[in-house]
Amino acid sequence: MNNFSLPKRPRGRPTKHGCNYADTKEVLIRRGIELLTERGMNAMSLDDLMKSVQVPKGSFYHYFSNKEAFILEVLDAYELYFVKRLNKFLSQTDLSPLERLQNFVIDAGEKLQKYDFKRGCILGNLGQEVAYLPTEIIARIESIFKVWEKMVSDCLHQSDLQYLQSDCDEAAYQFWIGWEGAVLRARLVKSPSPLDAFYRLFAVGVEQLNHIKN
C-alpha cells in the first residue's frame, strides 16, 4: 500500500463533492459513480475524472491497474449504494409490495429531476456499450441485476395474492427489464412520466394475471 493522498482543502472551504479528500481512492470511486450515471465507459475519460477531483492523472494507477479495474470497483460501490436505497422502500412492511415498488419509482423520478435528468442508471449506461465492454464487466452488470431481481422477488413473495407469489421471479425479471427502458426514455424527454407509465403497465400486468388465475 502506498502513502499517496490528496492534501486536505483549506480550512473553512468545503470540498467540491462533500468528500473527505484524505481518502483519495474513495473520492475517485465516488466521482466515478457520478460520472458513470451521466455517461458510458467510453465517454468517461480519465482526464475528466482526475481533473474533476484535482488529482494528478498518474496517481490513478496507485489505486487501479487500469480503467477496467476502476469500473469494476465503481460497480461494487454502486451495488452497495443501490441495494441500500432499494431496501429503504422494499422494507416498508406497512405497505403492500406493489405500493413499495411504486414509492421506489416515485422517488427515482424525483432523483432524476433533481439532477436535471443528466444522471441515470450506471448499468443502463454501460449496457448501451455492450459491444465494447470487457466480458468481466458484462458479467458483473448481470450479477448486479440478479441481486436487484432477488430483492424485488422476495418483496413480491410477501404479497397476499397467491397467484403473484408463484410468479415472483418472473415479475421481478420483467420489472428490471422495463425499468432500464423507462429510465432511458425519462432522460430523453426530461420528464418522470415514462417511469410512471412503466409502473402503471407493470401493475396492470399483475392485475391481469390475477384475473386470469382466478
Side-chain angles (χ1 to χ4, degrees):
M1 180 179 295
N2 63 75
N3 295 318
F4 177 85
S5 63
L6 280 174
K8 292 184 178 180
R9 297 274 184 168
R11 189 170 297 200
R13 293 176 59 192
T15 61
K16 183 176 181 181
H17 303 293
C19 302
N20 181 352
Y21 270 71
D23 190 343
T24 309
K25 184 174 182 179
E26 182 180 344
V27 169
L28 290 172
I29 290 175
R30 176 168 176 169
R31 184 56 178 152
I33 290 176
E34 293 174 348
L35 290 175
L36 286 173
T37 56
E38 298 176 0
R39 62 192 78 171
M41 177 177 175
N42 290 331
M44 189 200 72
S45 73
L46 293 185
D47 283 337
D48 288 342
L49 171 68
M50 307 309 281
K51 287 179 180 178
S52 66
V53 294
Q54 298 182 23
V55 179
K57 184 176 180 180
S59 300
F60 176 87
Y61 297 101
H62 283 281
Y63 299 99
F64 312 100
S65 57
N66 52 41
K67 190 174 182 180
E68 178 182 340
F70 173 68
I71 297 297
L72 287 169
E73 291 213 38
V74 168
L75 285 172
D76 288 344
Y78 185 68
E79 178 184 10
L80 291 174
Y81 154 76
F82 203 89
V83 163
K84 182 178 180 180
R85 176 180 162 191
L86 184 58
N87 190 57
K88 171 185 174 183
F89 297 96
L90 300 188
S91 62
Q92 296 173 331
T93 54
D94 56 321
L95 302 176
S96 73
L98 288 180
E99 288 174 328
R100 299 176 214 176
L101 280 174
Q102 184 176 33
N103 283 345
F104 165 72
V105 172
I106 292 171
D107 180 74
E110 293 173 351
K111 292 290 192 301
L112 285 172
Q113 288 180 303
K114 177 180 178 180
Y115 294 104
D116 194 29
F117 298 93
K118 293 179 180 179
R119 296 184 183 179
C121 173
I122 289 181
L123 304 196
N125 290 348
L126 291 177
Q128 295 177 62
E129 300 179 321
V130 64
Y132 308 100
L133 293 179
T135 55
E136 191 174 358
I137 289 180
I138 293 174
R140 188 70 185 92
I141 291 172
E142 183 62 16
S143 72
I144 295 174
F145 273 130
K146 292 297 184 183
V147 170
W148 296 358
E149 288 170 16
K150 179 66 163 53
M151 292 180 68
V152 171
S153 178
D154 287 348
C155 175
L156 294 176
H157 268 294
Q158 299 172 32
S159 173
D160 294 331
L161 305 175
Q162 295 300 316
Y163 77 90
L164 182 57
Q165 291 184 9
S166 65
D167 291 292
C168 291
D169 290 348
E170 180 65 19
Y173 175 68
Q174 293 175 359
F175 180 87
W176 291 111
I177 287 178
W179 175 257
E180 291 301 332
V183 171
L184 173 62
R185 189 65 180 272
R187 295 180 68 192
L188 286 172
V189 299
K190 293 187 178 299
S191 168
S193 59
L195 298 184
D196 299 332
F198 154 72
Y199 180 77
R200 288 196 301 271
L201 181 63
F202 178 79
V204 166
V206 168
E207 292 172 0
Q208 288 180 340
L209 184 60
N210 182 35
H211 292 316
I212 291 173
K213 297 208 169 185
N214 287 312

